[in-house]
Amino acid sequence: MAAVAAWLPFARASAIGWVPIATNPLPQNRTIPEHKRGDEKMLINVSGRRFETWRTTLEKYPDTLLGSNEKDFFFDEETKEYFFDRDPDLFRHVLNYYRTGKLHYPKHECISSYDDELAFYGILPDIIGDCCYEDYRDRKRENQERLLDDKCSENGDKNPAGTPREKMWRAFENPHLNTAALVFYYVTGFFIAISVTANVIETVPCGKRRGEKENLPCGERYSVGFFCLDTACVMIFTAEYLLRLFAAPDRLKFMRSVMSVIDVVAILPYYIGLVITDNDDVSGAFVTLRVFRVFRIFKFSRHSEGLRILGYTLKSCASELGFLLFSLSMAIIIFATVMFYAEKNVADTKFTSIPASFWYTIVTMTTLGYGDIVPKTITGKIVGGVCSLSGVLVIALPVPVIVSNFSRIYHQNQRQDKRKAQKVARLARIRMAKNASGAAFLNSKKKIQEMMLAQENCLSMDDFKEDIFQLQHHHLLSCLEKTTDRTHGRYEREPEELNDIQIRLPRIKRSSGSSLNAVDSYKTNNTLTVTTAIVTLPTPSTTSETESESVRTQSTSGTMSPSSHSQNQGVVRISTL
Amino acid sequence: MDDSVEDNEQDHDIDDLEMQVVRYKPEGIDVLCRNTKFSRKELQIMYRGFKQECPTGIVNEDTFKEIYGQFFPHGDASDYAHYVFKTFDHDNNGSVSFEEFVMGLSVLSRGSLQDRLQWAFNLYDINGDGIITKDEMLDIVSAIYDMMGRYTEPMIDDSSAKEHVERIFKKMDMNRDGVISLEEFMDTCRRDENITKGMAIFDTVL
């Protein structure tokens, strides 16, 4: 609305057209006092880059930072400008929003930094113009998915072993956790392979048995052996399935999942075979059931990431596959019909019916061309040619979509795995950097304390620069130390998470010759107001005990206890006053 | 009037016509200052607002309707906007340039009573033949009622516009010939105090 404020005088002027035909006298306008409609220019300084704009431009959107009086907080009296310590490149886009009413998203910017800027200036990202909105949404979704992934995997790693049931479930899902899970993983894989191989070899002719005339397949010759093998495999699979079922956090969901269905289908034929007696009419059905044993090969998908990705791809390309199927069947029916009527009157023709022609059409369209059924009339041959050409086209169309989908999902997966692998190394490097900054912090803290100490003793230490901010900061930290009866100290590299203030310390070596010892309470005792103390904690498992120990000793030793070194533990303790 | 149409995009396909962006440059500010009753500063402010909404320098009817509609969110202002647009568009080329805009505004906000009444008459006279017929008046009145929207108190129905028109004609049509001429219009309006007062209230401080 405010964007067209410039047109309001015009709209009011055109309302003169209402006057002659108004039913009632129109109300008077409130006289506006003589106010200079000064449209002044506003100076906005964003990290050194100056922007200027009219005041009315900014006031177009009064619910944002720049449009409301919130910007008064950033007003610099001396230079009479608004100073923002933010990214000047991104500010460009924000200002353009005020100018043109459309917010654009620059493609080369990081999505989260852009979001931060928008949040700072109080602009909703939904206002992004149509030209850039899709891009923004895509990037945002990608980012959030990645964050979610990371968080999930973090949570997964962080969780210590819960109940035995949870442990088992985690072992099943992630075999690399401990050796038992790995062994289980390989054993099941081995048995799947054995089972599948046995099924295959069963049907190979094994040579004559003594006294028999025909060549029997191996399955019948060594039927007992194969039966025992089959039984063993099925028992292993059943045990595995039952264990998984027991360990699953959500049993119904687990039973509905694809993998468990495959498991069931793999072992069911055996049990059904056991139950069904040697009846003639059902034994035919029983033989067909044996076919389902081949599904055991799908159990390998737990072991192979690639197979899972393939399955997932096919699922996600369901619409393309459906389209392929549909168009193929349409084409088959058309061509089969035409072929049938073309070849109907040929003597001894194989095209006996339209369904019989289906076979020819399928073989031709997929360019197989077995040759067991061929057209003999000229029309038939022409139609056959067209059929094979169109077959190539119809099949070639949806295939690239499926391929690109597979490629995308595969690469996504690879990236995820790579990220997880790199994360450990990355975290280690980040820790080292934090260590360094933490060490610098402690050094400066020591200097401040020395300086304060020197001031207490009226020594002139004019080497140290007086930094008000640092002084106050360190004063604050020493207050904290006093409050909690703990202190900060030096530390070395140790694989632990670090925050800025709370520093968990590993064992330290006894330091000699450092400035720390210069202010040891060994020499000067009662006049000390502040001493540094280092409380180190040995291995985390014994943390609780030593902490309580140290608290006890500190409390019993009173306020002016001398320092105590217990070197066998690697703990240097100098109590604070 | 300085009419400079520049071809900004030269694609030699079928879309050539669509690609031509018409850029319009108005007269210098001094000329406009002389021809209208606005000061330089006022013209500056108006042009900035004008150019902000219409970067090409001219307003076509759709943009005009859109802008006008923003002031009347409850109803449908497109009909009335159409009539206003026609009245502003002196040379009837389907677009209003900044000069036309400013001249029209000058008449309306700084002009004499005579000028304003003349403008109003031109607005009502849709086909520009110098007389206002009942149908034309009905169109205008319906357009104004449309701007009010659906939810009014009391409700607007089909007959309200007709009744209104009858009332107006009873008042203005002196010789009862079924149409209102310019003289009848002027006479009636000048004599009616409400109307003369009403003509002055829409002055806006720029």
Side-chain angles (χ1 to χ4, degrees):
Chain A
M1 175 64 200
V4 292
W7 290 74
L8 182 62
F10 172 76
R12 287 173 58 84
S14 61
I16 282 183
W18 309 342
V19 176
I21 56 178
T23 330
N24 309 311
L26 301 171
Q28 285 293 325
N29 194 10
R30 260 183 320 131
T31 47
I32 308 155
E34 179 69 38
H35 94 111
K36 198 165 93 91
R37 186 199 144 111
D39 204 0
E40 34 162 345
K41 279 203 272 202
M42 317 256 283
L43 258 169
I44 304 178
N45 184 349
V46 183
S47 299
R49 209 185 295 181
R50 283 196 159 63
F51 296 87
E52 288 184 46
T53 182
W54 296 109
R55 188 166 38 84
T56 43
T57 312
L58 292 181
E59 286 172 359
K60 270 192 221 170
Y61 301 106
D63 55 347
T64 58
L65 185 149
L66 290 172
S68 62
N69 52 11
E70 194 182 341
K71 62 178 183 285
D72 294 339
F73 288 107
F74 299 92
F75 189 66
D76 186 352
E77 292 294 331
E78 293 155 33
T79 49
K80 292 274 182 271
E81 62 187 15
Y82 293 91
F83 182 73
F84 294 98
D85 199 8
R86 311 281 302 186
D87 190 350
D89 287 326
L90 290 176
F91 185 74
R92 235 188 68 226
H93 301 283
V94 170
L95 198 53
N96 273 334
Y97 168 57
Y98 287 91
R99 291 193 187 123
T100 61
K102 283 204 277 206
L103 183 62
H104 293 280
Y105 168 60
K107 291 185 175 50
H108 58 268
E109 292 289 346
C110 169
I111 184 84
S112 44
S113 71
Y114 190 72
D115 267 345
D116 286 340
E117 290 297 307
L118 287 186
F120 179 81
Y121 291 108
I123 299 175
L124 286 175
D126 296 315
I127 303 185
I128 292 183
D130 288 334
C131 42
C132 301
Y133 193 64
E134 256 185 65
D135 204 36
Y136 172 80
R137 273 261 154 249
D138 286 339
R139 295 269 297 256
K140 190 144 187 187
R141 198 170 11 99
E142 250 183 65
N143 199 33
Q144 279 175 338
E145 275 174 12
R146 201 165 17 90
L147 283 176
L148 208 63
D149 269 340
D150 282 346
K151 216 186 294 210
C152 271
S153 54
E154 247 184 57
N155 279 342
D157 292 339
K158 269 207 198 125
N159 253 345
T163 68
R165 180 174 156 187
E166 280 174 18
K167 266 203 279 201
M168 220 165 37
W169 178 249
R170 245 203 323 283
F172 278 137
E173 293 298 299
N174 200 355
H176 302 283
L177 272 184
N178 53 21
T179 34
L182 211 57
V183 161
F184 182 78
Y185 176 78
Y186 282 126
V187 160
T188 41
F190 176 68
F191 270 99
I192 296 174
I194 289 275
S195 167
V196 170
T197 328
N199 283 346
V200 167
I201 292 187
E202 231 174 35
T203 59
V204 173
C206 247
K208 294 200 184 42
R209 220 198 324 219
R210 239 175 336 158
E212 295 268 341
K213 286 222 190 81
E214 315 123 21
N215 228 346
L216 284 173
C218 284
E220 284 180 32
R221 197 153 156 201
Y222 303 103
S223 56
V224 177
F226 277 104
F227 182 72
C228 291
L229 196 59
D230 204 24
T231 314
C233 292
V234 168
M235 279 173 48
I236 300 264
F237 296 151
T238 320
E240 182 207 348
Y241 180 70
L242 288 174
L243 278 176
R244 276 186 206 261
L245 189 63
F246 167 68
D250 186 357
R251 299 227 170 96
L252 251 81
K253 194 170 89 142
F254 171 72
M255 283 177 65
R256 278 201 306 250
S257 73
V258 176
M259 288 311 304
S260 90
V261 166
I262 292 179
D263 288 339
V264 169
V265 169
I267 59 179
L268 221 45
Y270 177 80
Y271 288 112
I272 295 182
L274 282 185
V275 165
I276 293 182
T277 54
D278 225 343
N279 216 343
D280 267 337
D281 15 318
V282 255
S283 68
F286 168 62
V287 167
T288 356
L289 271 181
R290 288 180 135 210
V291 166
F292 285 99
R293 288 188 306 177
V294 80
F295 279 96
R296 287 180 197 163
I297 207 171
F298 282 119
K299 286 167 70 74
F300 266 131
S301 58
R302 273 218 184 86
H303 299 251
S304 158
E305 180 83 30
L307 209 59
R308 271 206 300 272
I309 294 179
L310 187 62
Y312 184 65
T313 310
L314 290 175
K315 196 164 61 144
S316 69
C317 297
S319 61
E320 275 83 31
L321 285 174
F323 167 69
L324 178 62
L325 218 60
F326 176 67
S327 56
L328 267 180
S329 32
M330 235 174 51
I332 287 172
I333 294 178
I334 293 175
F335 282 111
T337 316
V338 177
M339 279 310 291
F340 171 69
Y341 283 112
E343 293 281 311
K344 208 163 77 136
N345 297 322
V346 172
D348 284 340
T349 184
K350 291 227 177 66
F351 293 92
T352 49
S353 65
I354 294 187
S357 320
F358 279 167
W359 176 241
Y360 169 75
T361 325
I362 292 176
V363 167
T364 317
M365 279 188 91
T366 52
T367 70
L368 279 174
Y370 288 135
D372 55 346
I373 168 171
V374 285
K376 297 226 167 31
T377 61
I378 296 184
T379 329
K381 288 184 179 162
I382 293 175
V383 173
V386 174
C387 179
S388 57
L389 285 174
S390 63
V392 170
L393 273 177
V394 168
I395 294 184
L397 281 175
V399 169
V401 176
I402 300 174
V403 167
S404 75
N405 250 358
F406 178 77
S407 159
R408 180 178 54 87
I409 297 174
Y410 184 69
H411 282 131
Q412 231 177 29
N413 234 327
Q414 285 220 318
R415 269 203 301 266
Q416 226 176 20
D417 292 339
K418 213 171 15 169
R419 248 206 323 272
K420 274 192 224 159
Q422 285 173 347
K423 203 155 76 149
V424 178
R426 251 184 79 217
L427 275 178
R429 281 200 298 270
I430 293 174
R431 246 173 255 129
M432 270 170 42
K434 274 194 177 158
N435 269 0
S437 64
F441 158 72
L442 283 171
N443 274 336
S444 69
K445 185 174 158 228
K446 274 181 319 210
K447 282 210 205 96
I448 299 286
Q449 278 165 342
E450 281 170 27
M451 194 176 77
M452 284 183 8
L453 187 59
Q455 277 183 348
E456 288 280 327
N457 298 341
C458 299
L459 296 169
S460 63
M461 300 275 236
D462 39 17
D463 292 335
F464 299 104
K465 285 196 282 267
E466 255 187 48
D467 186 356
I468 302 281
F469 173 76
Q470 282 220 0
L471 277 175
Q472 294 188 324
H473 186 214
H474 286 291
H475 172 250
L476 180 69
L477 290 171
S478 48
C479 289
L480 178 66
E481 286 177 357
K482 287 255 186 82
T483 315
T484 56
D485 220 2
R486 306 249 181 290
T487 54
H488 303 119
R490 282 198 317 251
Y491 52 93
E492 296 168 8
R493 272 183 311 223
E494 189 82 327
E496 275 176 353
E497 293 288 344
L498 292 171
N499 295 322
D500 288 332
I501 303 295
Q502 300 122 15
I503 307 175
R504 231 177 296 131
L505 311 170
R507 65 177 76 252
I508 67 156
K509 295 200 265 288
R510 172 125 192 269
S511 58
S512 57
S514 69
S515 53
L516 187 62
N517 285 339
V519 277
D520 255 359
S521 57
Y522 255 140
K523 312 290 190 308
T524 60
N525 25 28
N526 294 0
T527 55
L528 269 185
T529 49
V530 165
T531 41
T532 52
I534 307 164
V535 177
T536 61
L537 313 169
T539 57
S541 47
T542 56
T543 302
S544 43
E545 299 123 58
T546 48
E547 260 196 50
S548 53
E549 263 182 45
S550 67
V551 165
R552 260 184 287 123
T553 47
Q554 278 202 345
S555 55
T556 50
S557 55
T559 46
M560 309 224 285
S561 60
S563 63
S564 56
H565 291 257
S566 51
Q567 297 198 296
N568 41 2
Q569 271 188 336
V571 172
V572 177
R573 253 191 275 126
I574 308 169
S575 63
T576 50
L577 298 173
Chain B
M1 294 252 199
D2 190 25
D3 239 327
S4 52
V5 175
E6 292 165 11
D7 292 344
N8 283 5
E9 309 260 82
Q10 286 277 0
D11 293 3
H12 295 285
D13 6 2
I14 307 173
D15 302 339
D16 200 286
L17 284 166
E18 286 174 298
M19 281 302 179
Q20 280 180 13
V21 175
V22 174
R23 214 181 78 84
Y24 191 92
K25 197 174 77 70
E27 287 285 346
I29 193 169
D30 299 311
V31 178
L32 280 177
C33 222
R34 275 202 301 273
N35 293 344
T36 66
K37 301 190 183 62
F38 292 119
S39 70
R40 273 184 85 94
K41 198 131 200 323
E42 291 168 335
L43 281 172
Q44 277 182 342
I45 295 173
M46 286 201 302
Y47 187 66
R48 267 187 250 131
F50 185 86
K51 188 110 170 129
Q52 179 79 7
E53 278 304 309
C54 317
T56 53
I58 53 172
V59 195
N60 59 8
E61 194 166 329
D62 294 322
T63 322
F64 186 80
K65 279 188 181 160
E66 208 186 291
I67 296 172
Y68 208 81
Q70 294 200 24
F71 291 108
F72 304 101
H74 298 293
D76 177 22
S78 46
D79 287 334
Y80 190 69
H82 166 74
Y83 296 128
V84 173
F85 187 82
K86 252 177 30 61
T87 321
F88 264 83
D89 189 12
H90 295 306
D91 50 4
N92 285 326
N93 59 352
S95 57
V96 169
S97 67
F98 183 62
E99 282 96 346
E100 290 170 331
F101 172 76
V102 157
M103 306 247 220
L105 212 53
S106 161
V107 163
L108 286 174
S109 40
R110 305 284 163 93
S112 63
L113 181 64
Q114 173 98 352
D115 293 331
R116 296 179 199 196
L117 287 173
Q118 176 75 48
W119 191 91
F121 186 83
N122 286 337
L123 176 70
Y124 300 145
D125 184 15
I126 297 175
N127 56 2
D129 57 0
I131 48 172
I132 306 175
T133 62
K134 270 213 180 126
D135 291 325
E136 289 174 338
M137 185 58 86
L138 185 62
D139 285 339
I140 298 276
V141 171
S142 320
I144 295 179
Y145 273 117
D146 282 340
M147 281 202 290
M148 280 295 293
R150 257 172 237 289
Y151 305 105
T152 53
E153 189 65 53
M155 292 290 289
I156 297 177
D157 53 21
D158 295 326
S159 54
S160 6
K162 285 214 190 65
E163 284 168 16
H164 199 138
V165 170
E166 289 300 324
R167 263 183 282 135
I168 295 171
F169 262 73
K170 227 192 323 198
K171 196 168 76 162
M172 295 204 186
D173 192 10
M174 303 294 186
N175 54 3
R176 302 270 170 263
D177 57 354
V179 294
I180 302 179
S181 68
L182 182 60
E183 295 84 24
E184 288 173 338
F185 183 75
M186 292 287 195
D187 282 335
T188 325
C189 292
R190 263 198 276 256
R191 256 180 273 138
D192 189 344
E193 214 180 277
N194 285 335
I195 294 182
T196 46
K197 272 219 204 88
M199 280 290 173
I201 61 172
F202 287 111
D203 292 346
T204 322
V205 178
L206 277 171

